[in-house]
Amino acid sequence: MPTAGPDEFIDLDRLFAAARRQARLVMLFGLLGLALGVAYLVFTPPVYTASTHILLDDNLAKFAQDASTPPANAEAESTVLSEVEILKSSRLARAVVKAENLQDNEAFLNPPRSPVARLKSAVKSVLAIFVSKPERSNGSAENGNIGKAIARLQQGLSAERVGRSLVIAVSFQDTDPKLAGAITRAYAKAYLSDHLDANFDATQRATVWLQGRLDDLRESSQKAALAVAQFRAKAGLTEAGGELMSEQQLSDLNSQVILAQADTANAFARYSQFKAIVDSGPDNAVKNATIPSEKGSSNNNTALINDMKARYLSMAKREQDISQQFGEDHPQAVALRREEADLTKQIFAELQRLTESYRNAYEVAKAREDSLRSNVENLTGKNSETGKDQVELRNLEQRAQSLATLYQAFLARYEQASQQSSFPIPQARVISQAGNPTSASSPRKSMVLGLSLVLGLFAGVGAGALQEFRERFFRTGEDVRNALGLNFLGHLPLVEQGLVETTRKAPATATGNQSGQSGPETVTPRMLRVAINAPSSAFAETLRNTKLASDVVLHHTKCKVIGFASVLPREGKTTVAANFAGLLAANGARTLLIDADLRNPGLSRSLPLLPEKGLVEVIVGQQPWQSACLSDRKTRLAILPAVGNKRISHTSELISGPGMANLLEEARNIFDYIVVDLPPLGPVVDAKAFAPLADGFVMVTQWGATPRALVRSVLQVERHIAGKMLGVVLNKTDMKSLARYGVFGGAEKYLDRYGSYYVEQIGTDRSARKMEPA
């Protein structure tokens, strides 16, 4: 594949050409992906999904609540998310398992599995061989089945909020549609029951606490009333119809003292109550203290503290639930505890400030009370027992009245809690009942097939791109020029049987040479006569281009010695050299073809007549070269074979020695062209040794098979050969595929337009189905 220049960014022509080349591979991967998708659909059991919708509605129980009670779901989003987590909890899953007896349902515990699940199970089974497990009792086995059923429920359950509404969509997936519908309905039922149970438990705990508090208040109130009656009888205090002025003043002062004393008592009670709360510490003050709401200037303060305490209790409950479900180290639990600590500090600071204000109020009330008492003492004297008795009586009466009022308030709250605990209305309802699904929700056939096809095509594109990036062979003339910097002589098509002439073989006993002895009309096999038999073919045209290049470069040389070489064996150099020599001879040039591949004389073995002596005997002086040559009567091509089937060592010394030099010197006086078939450059050194005797070289490289880096490295090492290189021929070219490797502006892109200029078919021999090796 041609490489992009350094200044090019994206060459669309090259990309389109690569896409056309790899289209079959991409389609193959696409079909493979589609086949895998079909196999997945065949072996994957269908899964059915049943769904229900639950609405969180506080209006269901609003008529059973106090009208002044603030709404519980002030934060809708956090409330819905909390309910979603409750639906996903293992506690609710355990309730569903128990309700439906799923721990004993074998079809639920071991449903049909997909191939991927079977593979995972097989791997786990193999690994379990190396892990010893303790034997389980019947109870532990049952608990294990329950745990497995809970895990299976949580795996197939889906609970999520629908948009920004207060609706939660609950769905469950299973291979059995009836079981999926039953489990989904059981989940909705268990969730509503859990709501009722939670409300009942909370109200029950509050009722028990209120009952204990009422008993204490009732006993205290009765004792206070009894103390008032006993003190009144003991002191003999009775009301008189008429009074003196002094008595009226004393009565008024006493009334004021009583009021001041009541204010002082109230202020002291509030101060003592809040001081006791503050002295108990921040944690106890926030958790255990009861902050009464009173009328007056401090109403806003106590209401603020109660609001913060309500927030603290709600936050503590949420933190406890999250800690029980996910552990104390869960990030949300940690954040809630941190918020609880901050809120505790705020509540405690507000309590301290409120306590200080109550202390100031108590001191003011106390000062006022002391002032009034001083006035009363001035009127009645310090020893007036009557006034003291009256004050004491008023104190006892006030205390009894306060306890009675507090008892009535707690009694009303107790009655309200009792009524709520017996009111069975949850704050949620099912608005869409789950039914048994009629069609499978997965796998979705169209989506699976489409995704399989797309993934297969992507894999094919990746494989095609990898194959393009791994392209390291010669395909076009531009590859030759860019990689080697040499002249590109053309493509030699992959020779098919149509280019091989149908020629009846002559008897193998006849011989022929330059002396005119009788023999067959031709001594070259059909494979080596392609250019002669098809002179108008693309094969012959490339060889003519090679001749033209040699004539241009070696125009000053009378007889041209041209060596044909390749880097690797079996690249077709012998076929190219023989056809080149035959074409020259057919055109009237006096041509000598020498088989100099002494180690593997493929040309000599392909001849119908193999003489007993050849090039080796000529070089060592055992026989004149004229008598060792074979002559083709039709083209007058002279062929000097190498030798028979003998293996010869030191071949490089033979073809580069004086004998070879004398042979070429004598042949130059007779022939116009001497074509030498040389061994490959890679494995042996014969061609390198012959380089000083040659006028030029033609490099034969197999199309799409010979690595460019190998040819480049060999020519970089063999400078003396590269300097005499006439050009490169790409042999065994697949002409049908060549156009796919051409780019816009390249000659290969337009080879199909020259079809009318070539005549490839010259014979109809159907028996020659295979090419003869080079």
Side-chain angles (χ1 to χ4, degrees):
M1 183 181 67
T3 57
D7 297 332
E8 297 181 8
F9 179 59
I10 296 178
D11 194 333
L12 294 180
D13 293 326
R14 297 182 188 273
L15 290 179
F16 289 147
R20 287 193 299 270
R21 287 193 295 271
Q22 304 300 331
R24 292 183 179 179
L25 182 63
V26 173
M27 293 305 299
L28 179 62
F29 271 87
L31 293 177
L32 179 60
L34 194 61
L36 292 177
V38 172
Y40 176 80
L41 292 176
V42 170
F43 293 103
T44 301
V47 176
Y48 298 87
T49 302
S51 61
T52 184
H53 291 76
I54 300 175
L55 173 64
L56 304 180
D57 192 358
D58 291 338
N59 295 326
L60 296 175
K62 65 180 181 180
F63 57 85
Q65 297 177 350
D66 187 2
S68 62
T69 303
N73 293 334
E75 297 293 336
E77 184 173 0
S78 60
T79 300
V80 175
L81 294 178
S82 300
E83 298 302 321
V84 168
E85 295 302 322
I86 292 175
L87 282 165
K88 295 180 179 179
S89 65
S90 58
R91 180 173 60 86
L92 200 62
R94 180 180 290 273
V96 174
V97 169
K98 291 291 187 179
E100 297 295 322
N101 293 324
L102 297 178
Q103 71 275 13
D104 300 327
N105 192 333
E106 188 65 24
F108 174 77
L109 295 176
N110 299 298
R113 294 176 295 177
S114 63
V116 177
R118 293 194 188 98
L119 180 60
K120 291 182 179 179
S121 178
V123 173
K124 291 181 179 179
S125 300
V126 172
L127 296 178
I129 298 176
F130 304 98
V131 179
S132 60
K133 294 184 178 180
E135 296 183 357
R136 297 188 300 178
S137 61
N138 294 333
S140 61
E142 182 179 0
N143 292 332
N145 289 337
I146 294 176
K148 185 177 181 180
I150 291 174
R152 174 84 171 82
L153 274 180
Q154 292 179 325
Q155 181 181 5
L157 179 70
S158 175
E160 57 185 7
R161 184 181 184 183
V162 179
R164 303 294 297 175
S165 65
L166 297 178
V167 177
I168 301 176
V170 182
S171 61
F172 185 78
Q173 294 182 344
D174 195 81
T175 56
D176 185 356
K178 295 182 179 179
L179 187 59
I183 290 177
T184 306
R185 291 189 292 270
Y187 250 105
K189 182 179 180 181
Y191 174 73
L192 297 181
S193 299
D194 182 76
H195 251 264
L196 287 175
D197 294 341
N199 293 337
F200 178 79
D201 292 342
T203 308
Q204 189 69 20
R205 287 192 296 269
T207 303
V208 172
W209 181 84
L210 288 173
Q211 179 66 47
R213 184 61 177 161
L214 280 174
D215 294 340
D216 295 339
L217 289 175
R218 184 185 302 108
E219 183 178 356
S220 300
S221 178
Q222 291 175 355
K223 289 182 178 179
L226 182 61
V228 170
Q230 291 177 350
F231 184 82
R232 186 185 295 275
K234 180 180 179 181
L237 296 176
T238 59
E239 295 182 357
E243 296 178 342
L244 297 175
M245 188 67 180
S246 58
E247 292 178 354
Q248 182 68 36
Q249 292 178 352
L250 182 60
S251 176
D252 293 338
L253 287 175
N254 286 332
S255 300
Q256 295 179 15
V257 168
I258 293 173
L259 294 176
Q261 186 178 3
D263 293 338
T264 303
N266 289 333
F268 179 75
R270 290 194 299 269
Y271 169 66
S272 300
Q273 182 179 7
F274 280 87
K275 186 174 184 301
I277 293 173
V278 171
D279 291 341
S280 65
D283 293 334
N284 293 330
V286 174
K287 294 180 180 178
N288 302 326
T290 301
I291 310 300
S293 297
E294 298 180 3
K295 297 181 180 180
S297 60
S298 62
N299 184 35
N300 294 333
N301 296 330
T302 56
L304 177 61
I305 294 176
N306 286 329
D307 290 342
M308 288 191 296
K309 185 175 180 182
R311 288 170 52 197
Y312 173 83
L313 294 177
S314 176
M315 194 177 302
K317 184 177 182 302
R318 289 173 55 194
E319 187 272 336
Q320 183 179 6
D321 293 340
I322 293 175
S323 299
Q324 290 178 356
Q325 294 180 9
F326 304 102
E328 295 182 356
D329 295 333
H330 190 272
Q332 189 174 0
V334 174
L336 289 174
R337 287 196 293 271
R338 185 164 53 251
E339 292 179 7
E340 290 176 18
D342 294 339
L343 194 58
T344 300
K345 293 180 180 179
Q346 295 177 12
I347 296 174
F348 188 74
E350 189 65 22
L351 287 173
Q352 288 179 328
R353 190 188 66 77
L354 193 58
T355 302
E356 185 64 22
S357 65
Y358 283 149
R359 185 182 67 82
N360 295 333
Y362 165 70
E363 290 177 355
V364 171
K366 182 65 175 174
R368 182 172 176 272
E369 179 185 359
D370 293 339
S371 177
L372 291 173
R373 287 183 181 279
S374 176
N375 292 333
V376 171
E377 290 175 357
N378 291 333
L379 292 174
T380 60
K382 295 182 179 179
N383 297 325
S384 178
E385 296 295 334
T386 303
K388 293 181 180 180
D389 293 340
Q390 290 179 347
V391 170
E392 183 67 20
L393 178 61
R394 294 293 182 265
N395 288 334
L396 293 176
E397 291 176 345
Q398 187 174 4
R399 182 172 181 275
Q401 184 64 31
S402 299
L403 290 175
T405 303
L406 186 59
Y407 173 76
Q408 293 297 328
F410 270 85
L411 181 60
R413 292 176 62 183
Y414 173 77
E415 292 296 335
Q416 181 181 2
S418 299
Q419 293 297 326
Q420 289 182 358
S421 63
S422 61
F423 203 79
I425 297 181
Q427 296 179 349
R429 60 190 175 96
V430 177
I431 61 175
S432 177
Q433 187 69 25
N436 297 333
T438 58
S439 60
S441 59
S442 67
R444 299 179 181 176
K445 296 181 180 180
S446 58
M447 185 178 68
V448 169
L449 294 178
L451 184 61
S452 300
L453 179 60
V454 170
L455 292 179
L457 292 177
F458 274 120
V461 171
L466 179 62
Q467 188 169 345
E468 286 293 323
F469 285 126
R470 294 180 65 239
E471 177 65 46
R472 298 294 184 266
F473 309 111
F474 291 103
R475 299 286 186 179
T476 64
E478 186 179 359
D479 293 346
V480 174
R481 289 186 287 270
N482 292 339
L484 305 178
L486 297 177
N487 185 26
F488 175 63
L489 302 178
H491 295 88
L492 290 175
L494 183 65
V495 180
E496 299 177 355
Q497 60 89 19
L499 292 177
V500 181
E501 181 186 21
T502 305
T503 304
R504 181 175 298 176
K505 291 187 178 181
T509 58
T511 60
N513 51 36
Q514 288 184 347
S515 61
Q517 298 176 353
S518 62
E521 183 180 2
T522 176
V523 296
T524 56
R526 289 171 295 172
M527 191 63 189
L528 306 183
R529 297 175 59 86
V530 175
I532 300 173
N533 297 332
S536 299
S537 64
F539 191 95
E541 194 66 24
T542 299
L543 295 181
R544 290 192 186 93
N545 188 40
T546 304
K547 175 184 178 300
L548 180 60
S550 64
D551 292 341
V552 171
V553 177
L554 304 176
H555 64 278
H556 60 281
T557 305
K558 181 180 180 181
C559 178
K560 305 171 182 61
V561 179
I562 303 174
F564 280 75
S566 63
V567 175
L568 298 175
R570 304 186 66 83
E571 293 193 75
K573 62 175 180 56
T574 299
T575 303
V576 177
N579 279 277
F580 178 72
L583 183 63
L584 294 175
N587 292 336
R590 295 172 298 172
T591 306
L592 172 63
L593 175 59
I594 301 177
D595 185 3
D597 191 352
L598 301 180
R599 302 194 187 191
N600 185 24
L603 175 61
S604 300
R605 287 198 297 267
S606 65
L607 297 175
L609 297 177
L610 185 60
E612 297 180 357
K613 296 182 180 181
L615 179 61
V616 176
E617 287 74 15
V618 172
I619 292 176
V620 298
Q622 295 180 1
Q623 185 176 355
W625 64 271
Q626 293 87 349
S627 61
C629 288
L630 300 176
S631 178
D632 190 328
R633 292 184 180 182
K634 185 175 182 179
T635 61
R636 295 188 179 276
L637 172 65
I639 301 176
L640 180 58
V643 74
N645 294 325
K646 300 178 181 179
R647 302 292 294 182
I648 303 174
S649 59
H650 307 293
T651 54
S652 58
E653 288 81 355
L654 290 177
I655 65 173
S656 63
M660 188 66 178
N662 294 334
L663 168 62
L664 295 178
E665 186 65 27
E666 294 179 7
R668 283 178 185 273
N669 297 325
I670 301 174
F671 298 99
D672 298 324
Y673 295 90
I674 300 176
V675 179
V676 183
D677 180 21
L678 296 170
L681 293 173
V684 294
V685 299
D686 295 15
K688 306 172 188 176
F690 182 76
L693 303 178
D695 298 324
F697 286 92
V698 175
M699 176 66 70
V700 179
T701 301
Q702 185 174 347
W703 182 85
T706 305
R708 287 175 286 189
L710 178 60
V711 179
R712 183 171 55 247
S713 63
V714 169
L715 293 180
Q716 287 176 352
V717 173
E718 306 301 333
R719 299 282 184 178
H720 52 292
I721 295 180
K724 296 182 179 182
M725 192 63 64
L726 301 177
V728 178
V729 174
L730 294 183
N731 192 28
K732 300 182 181 181
T733 304
D734 185 356
M735 302 303 289
K736 295 181 180 179
S737 303
L738 180 60
R740 299 204 305 263
Y741 291 91
V743 296
F744 183 78
E748 295 81 5
K749 192 74 174 176
Y750 309 98
L751 287 180
D752 56 342
R753 299 190 180 185
Y754 295 93
S756 60
Y757 288 86
Y758 301 133
V759 180
E760 304 289 350
Q761 302 294 334
I762 54 89
T764 58
D765 184 9
R766 299 297 181 182
S767 62
R769 296 293 182 181
K770 296 175 60 179
M771 293 186 303
E772 298 185 15

